[in-house]
Amino acid sequence: MSTVAEPMSTGRIRSVRPAWTRNLFWYGLLLLASIVTVLPFLWLLMTALKGPSDAVFGFPPQFLPREPTLANFTRVWNQLPIWRFFVNSLFVAALTVTLNVTVSSLAAYPLAKMNFPGREVIFYLLLATLIVPAELTFIPGYILAVQVFQYYDTLWALIFPSVFSAFNIFLLRQAYKTVPNDLIDAARIDGANELRIWWSVLTPTIRPSLATAAVFTAVTSWNALLWPSLMLRTRELYTLPVGLMALRGMFTADFRLIAAGAVMVIIPILIAFIFAQRYFVAGLSGAVKG
Amino acid sequence: MSNTLRSRLTPYLFLLPALLFMATFTLYPLVSVGYLSFTEYNILRPAQPVGLANYQRLIGDGVFWLSLRNSFTYLLVTPVIIVSAITLAIIVNRPLLGIGVFRALYYIPVITGAVAVGIAWQFLFDGSGGPINGMLLSAGMIEKPIIFLTEPAWTLPIAMMMTTWMGVGYYMVVFLAGLQSIPEDLYDAARIDGCNEFQKHWHISVPGLRPSIVFVAVISSLSALKVFDEIYVLTNGTGGILNSGSTMVFYLWKQAFRLQNVGYASAIAMVLLVITLTFSIINVRMLERGEG
């Protein structure tokens, strides 16, 4: 984990003396790649800022708006409860992360630090579920949601099926393994029970891995499309991806409005990324060592 | 409760919540989808056992075979992702000023989500005046605009490009971590031996990245086999003209949730399960060889 924890830092310093021409070549490549990754978003933003007399499509393509306006944003904002979608997404992501990380770290502790009959069986059972694509469980999941749990068309339908994650259990198990046994033994001698040891002795020591698991779970939850679009019917309950799909259906005639909606959906995750970049990157690549 | 019994129960109590959720949302659905695949079921009326009828129907269903073929074609994203992600990782592994900003920029497509990205792509590839057509026209590579989004031959390639574009930043970070664990001496030795930049990476970086390459191959091919979002967003939920963009998961979704053929969709799910299992076994073998 330590190697992936800081991939955004400058990397190690090579002893090569910087030659200007050489660096220029590398900056050229870097810029070229940035154009490929950023230009689509930039174009989206420019389109969202375009006024009614600006051409959205055409040859040659027009990139910059001639009369920039925020009218598209206000129109989308007034016609669709984007703010609600955002709150729904946040609610689902926050609850999913809390439940998932708690349940995963509870399960990871005995798998890392205790000996008990059946440990191997449980371990391999968890491993096997890693292979099963979640999409395969959607049909019975749908029937469960409608007939058994009756949480169809509520946000709980998005939360409960995402609580179990073998991936997070393995990630946290690896982290617990690095905690010295002496620490646990000392706490036991002091008379702490296992739940207490798990919560106040072990959990604080594996904070980086918990953050990793949390961010990974949050991004997955935030961007989920297929399952939420199966579960949610009421517009006020839509999450951002489902809401954006609906928005696209509503404004097929004017691409400026669709672009404005897309930009508004991208902004929150972009802000989160800027502030928690380190965890984002470590979280999503943590699987290598996990 | 006696102390020994309590301490013997402890590990199971810790595992209990996870096992309950696993049983309810992973194991039970798997068994259930297996059962449903032998029934005719449309949600409204109880499932009727029909034996192997759904599987027999699969054999004669052209769209199923097309979806299967598309899903396998989709695996082509894996080598493309590996090559581009390694190249990018090598480029951003230099201690240049502001390199962190570039790494962050390459990462943005990973986190923005398929719907927003799909909207951007529909716009870029628009047939009536999108920027891609504009560029191709002005470069003289085409004479009239290509209607990318409705042309059956282009549906799958564009979705595959989108998958690649959204994934490369993520795999770049994986390879970057791999590159940073290769000992610097090896590169120094190569420099002394007179290797140029390309030879240096071909002979040292690529072999040194082998475990990461295997990992990325496993992860990206498994996610390619179950692609849905890109197809759904780019084709507005239609799967493209003549089902040209239909994949296994897309066809499963369409049969189950659009056409209410739940039993038949379950049979598709079982086929997908068998394919992913086979794939995973091959992958585990590869992993073992990669580490041994």
Side-chain angles (χ1 to χ4, degrees), chain B residues 151-200:
Chain B
E151 181 68 47
W154 279 103
T155 314
L156 208 59
I158 288 181
M160 288 163 74
M161 275 190 259
M162 181 172 147
T163 303
T164 309
W165 187 78
M166 286 176 73
V168 164
Y170 166 61
Y171 297 111
M172 171 196 84
V173 177
V174 174
F175 286 126
L176 192 58
L179 278 178
Q180 293 181 343
S181 64
I182 297 174
E184 186 68 4
D185 322 358
L186 292 177
Y187 291 104
D188 292 338
R191 230 178 335 252
I192 293 164
D193 286 349
C195 280
N196 63 30
E197 197 71 25
F198 178 78
Q199 289 170 324
K200 200 175 84 181

Side-chain angles (χ1 to χ4, degrees), chain A residues 3-4 6-16 22-23 26-27 29-31 33-34 36-41 43-44 47 50 56-61 103-111 114-118 122 125-126 129 131-144 147 149 151 160-161 163-164 169 193-195 198 216 219 222-227 229-230 241-242 244-245 247-248 255 258-259 262 265-266 269-270 273 277 280-282 284-285 287-289, chain B residues 6 8 10-12 14-15 17-19 21-22 24-30 32-33 36 41 43 88 90-100 102-124 126-131 133-135 137 145 165 170 173-174 176-177 179-184 187-188 191 197 200-201 212 215 222 226 228-229 232-237 249 252-253 256-257 262 265-266 268-270 272-273 276-277 280:
Chain A
T3 44
V4 287
E6 47 217 335
M8 284 297 184
S9 63
T10 340
R12 67 180 164 219
I13 304 299
R14 294 256 164 83
S15 54
V16 189
R22 258 175 83 93
N23 279 355
W26 289 109
Y27 276 117
L29 280 181
L30 287 166
L31 271 174
S34 321
V36 175
T37 56
V38 176
L39 195 68
F41 292 121
W43 208 299
L44 211 54
T47 309
K50 280 179 179 175
V56 174
F57 297 112
F59 303 116
V103 168
S104 301
S105 64
L106 277 172
Y109 171 40
L111 288 173
M114 295 180 196
N115 274 315
F116 54 92
I122 294 174
L125 197 63
L126 292 174
T129 63
I131 300 165
V132 179
E135 289 78 2
L136 292 188
T137 65
F138 284 176
I139 294 172
Y142 188 95
I143 299 168
L144 277 180
Q147 294 178 355
F149 298 121
Y151 54 36
F160 288 126
V163 170
F164 167 72
I169 295 177
N193 65 36
E194 292 295 328
L195 203 61
W198 165 76
F216 185 77
V219 174
W222 192 267
N223 286 331
L225 173 65
L226 174 49
W227 181 247
S229 65
L230 288 176
V242 183
L244 188 55
M245 281 300 280
L247 180 148
R248 196 183 61 177
F255 207 91
I258 299 178
V265 167
I266 293 171
I269 189 117
L270 212 56
F273 176 61
Q277 213 189 74
F280 266 83
V281 177
L284 297 182
S285 62
V288 198
K289 313 278 165 181
Chain B
R6 218 173 112 178
R8 246 192 263 159
T10 306
Y12 304 105
F14 271 93
L15 280 159
L19 293 180
F21 276 100
M22 174 180 79
T24 315
F25 295 106
T26 307
L27 298 186
Y28 163 75
L30 269 186
S32 172
V33 84
L36 287 172
Y41 185 37
I43 305 262
L88 217 52
I90 288 173
I91 297 173
V92 298
N93 194 28
R94 322 202 122 243
L96 295 169
L97 190 70
I99 198 76
F102 286 105
R103 286 180 195 168
L105 288 180
Y106 304 157
Y107 206 75
I108 291 175
V110 179
I111 50 155
T112 32
V115 187
V117 171
I119 287 174
W121 276 59
Q122 280 190 321
F123 175 73
L124 289 176
D126 191 274
S128 65
N133 267 317
M135 278 192 303
L137 277 173
W165 187 78
Y170 166 61
V173 177
V174 174
L176 192 58
L179 278 178
Q180 293 181 343
S181 64
I182 297 174
E184 186 68 4
Y187 291 104
D188 292 338
R191 230 178 335 252
E197 197 71 25
K200 200 175 84 181
H201 289 299
S212 315
F215 170 80
L222 279 178
K226 51 180 196 185
F228 174 85
D229 289 3
Y232 181 69
V233 176
L234 284 173
T235 65
N236 298 327
V249 173
L252 188 167
W253 166 83
F257 300 107
V262 178
S266 302
I268 301 169
M270 291 312 281
L272 182 60
L273 180 64
T276 16
L277 282 181
S280 303

